[in-house]
């Protein structure tokens, strides 16, 4: 590429424009933090919800996960974690 080539000037102008625009991204305001809803449910809440949503089957937890205590953080935390995983996947 020689310096007299029009493509050279276009490439240099593009590189200069990108170099000047890159620092402008530092002045963009950060996205607001999401305000997630904390759901603290107990086993009784799950039983009531199950009967309300499907009165024929009702509450069904064959593995007993509603009574589990993952990571020693409490039963409500475990239920919330399982509900989040269920919705996510």
């Amino acid at each position: 590429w020689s310096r007299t080539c029009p493509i050279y000037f276009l490439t240099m102008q593009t590189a200069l424009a990108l170099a000047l625009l890159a620092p402008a991204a530092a002045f963009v305001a950060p996205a607001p933090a999401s305000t997630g809803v904390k759901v603290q449910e107990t086993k009784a809440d799950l039983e009531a919800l199950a009967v309300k949503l499907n009165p024929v089957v009702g509450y069904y937890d064959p593995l007993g996960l509603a009574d589990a205590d993952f990571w020693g953080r409490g039963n409500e935390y475990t239920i919330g974690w399982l509900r989040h995983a269920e919705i996510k996947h």
Side-chain angles (χ1 to χ4, degrees), residues 6-89:
I7 295 177
Y8 175 78
F9 288 113
L10 179 63
T11 304
M12 292 306 290
Q13 288 174 348
T14 305
L16 180 62
L18 291 175
L20 293 174
L21 291 177
F27 299 105
V28 175
S34 66
T35 56
V37 177
K38 284 193 170 185
V39 178
Q40 297 291 330
E41 293 183 334
T42 62
K43 184 176 178 181
D45 294 334
L46 291 178
E47 291 171 352
L49 184 63
V51 171
K52 178 181 172 186
L53 294 176
N54 190 347
V56 175
V57 175
Y59 180 73
Y60 181 71
D61 183 19
L63 298 177
L65 293 176
D67 296 321
D69 183 10
F70 295 176
W71 307 285
R73 297 189 72 180
N75 186 262
E76 291 180 356
Y77 179 85
T78 301
I79 291 173
W81 187 84
L82 290 170
R83 294 282 305 240
H84 173 75
E86 178 184 19
I87 292 169
K88 182 178 178 182
H89 298 288

